[in-house]
Amino acid sequence: MNMGPVNILRALAACLVDFALPPRCPACGVITAEHQQFCLSCWGKMDFLGAPCCDSCGLPFAFEQPETSRCGACLAHPPAHDRARAVLAYGDIARTIALKLKYGRRIGLARLIARHMERHVQPEKRAEMLLVPVPLHRWRLGWRGFNQSALIAQALGRSLGLPVELDILQRIKSTPPLRGMNPSQRIKTLSGAFQLARKPRSQLIGKTVVLVDDVYTSGATANSCAKVLKRGGAASVHILCWARVLRDESSALIDNHAAHANLGMKE
């Protein structure tokens, strides 16, 4: 195959970049064969989630169950959302990627997360889907400079050709971290925290809204958002996130500035 001068220059430039900045594992930083590819060691530590699981919240089952089975918690207290899925169980690798994106400002990791989310987006529902990120309060957005959930939603929308609405759901109440709170305290804290924008909401009517977030801890935030979206006309609300806490690991969600700065300095 003949290559023109421009293509030859591009190929040479790519080789120089790879030599100077070789691809590295996004979790631990060791050199890998391709960009945004996990090394074998980190890959082996990742606990991918999928079937068999609760049809409603995605909680893994130990054994095969009928396709529409629900866990005890969802049967006792049905959530406002219709479906929730996560790429990984919350652990060392999932936490590292989430914190590097959120506090280390490694915004390119949004594309990696979106790529792994694709398998949980039901093909038969895509014609009626609308992606909506879990919003940040304007104070936190101003401090951080970006909403990591919005970056993920945009990357997923581009890769699958799905529409994304960044501003239709708004967080109007600044809330403290929910870790350490019991379920009733979480519900009270999030009461009135979300609302729909005043702009036309016709794009919600009859849609399957995919609510995109980075980490699913207790489901309180997702439930609050789902209620607002359904009141606005959404036919159903599916939660899609990078990692899900399977047990009470809320204390593992690092929330001090020194740790976040250290993550940004690694590699």
Side-chain angles (χ1 to χ4, degrees):
M1 180 179 67
N2 294 326
M3 295 180 64
V6 173
N7 289 332
I8 291 174
L9 288 174
R10 285 176 178 168
L12 288 173
C15 290
L16 288 173
V17 170
D18 285 344
F19 178 78
L21 300 170
R24 293 183 178 275
C25 172
C28 71
V30 304
I31 295 176
T32 55
E34 298 179 15
H35 288 286
Q36 293 198 334
Q37 180 185 71
F38 290 99
C39 67
L40 288 177
S41 176
C42 289
W43 187 265
K45 298 173 186 175
M46 296 163 70
D47 185 6
F48 288 92
L49 299 178
C53 64
C54 172
D55 185 58
S56 178
C57 75
L59 185 73
F61 289 145
F63 306 101
E64 290 290 340
Q65 304 281 343
E67 190 175 341
T68 57
S69 294
R70 292 191 169 197
C71 66
C74 287
L75 288 172
H77 304 285
H81 59 75
D82 301 273
R83 186 177 189 264
R85 294 294 184 270
V87 176
L88 296 172
Y90 189 80
D92 290 342
I93 306 301
R95 179 171 59 247
T96 295
I97 297 300
L99 292 177
K100 282 186 176 183
L101 170 59
K102 189 184 296 186
Y103 301 109
R105 309 188 70 82
R106 299 279 298 277
I107 61 176
L109 292 174
R111 295 192 302 273
L112 177 145
I113 291 173
R115 189 172 72 243
H116 284 281
M117 283 181 168
E118 290 178 12
R119 66 186 174 93
H120 288 299
V121 180
Q122 298 167 296
E124 68 276 13
K125 299 274 188 179
R126 292 182 187 179
E128 61 198 41
M129 277 185 178
L130 178 68
L131 304 184
V132 175
V134 171
L136 290 180
H137 188 269
R138 64 181 184 277
W139 292 349
R140 186 163 296 178
L141 182 60
W143 174 77
R144 188 177 300 162
F146 62 90
N147 177 359
Q148 71 282 355
S149 298
L151 293 178
I152 297 168
Q154 287 176 305
L156 187 62
R158 285 192 298 269
S159 64
L160 295 181
L162 297 175
V164 183
E165 277 290 340
L166 296 181
D167 302 317
I168 196 167
L169 183 63
Q170 299 176 339
R171 190 169 197 142
I172 59 172
K173 177 181 172 184
S174 182
T175 56
L178 301 181
R179 66 183 184 281
M181 296 184 186
N182 61 39
S184 61
Q185 289 171 327
R186 291 172 189 254
I187 292 171
K188 183 178 179 180
T189 299
L190 290 168
S191 176
F194 301 96
Q195 72 173 18
L196 292 180
R198 292 181 180 178
K199 67 180 184 178
R201 306 170 186 175
S202 57
Q203 60 267 51
L204 273 181
I205 305 298
K207 291 290 186 180
T208 295
V209 174
V210 178
L211 188 67
V212 179
D213 205 2
D214 55 349
V215 178
Y216 181 109
T217 306
S218 69
T221 298
N223 240 24
S224 294
C225 291
K227 290 176 182 177
V228 172
L229 289 165
K230 285 191 171 181
R231 285 200 296 268
S236 61
V237 177
H238 295 183
I239 313 301
L240 184 57
C241 58
W242 165 242
R244 175 190 172 137
V245 177
L246 295 182
R247 51 189 182 278
D248 188 13
E249 295 178 351
S250 298
S251 60
L253 295 170
I254 302 170
D255 194 36
N256 65 76
H257 295 300
H260 301 157
N262 287 339
L263 275 170
M265 293 169 60
K266 285 184 179 180
E267 300 182 18

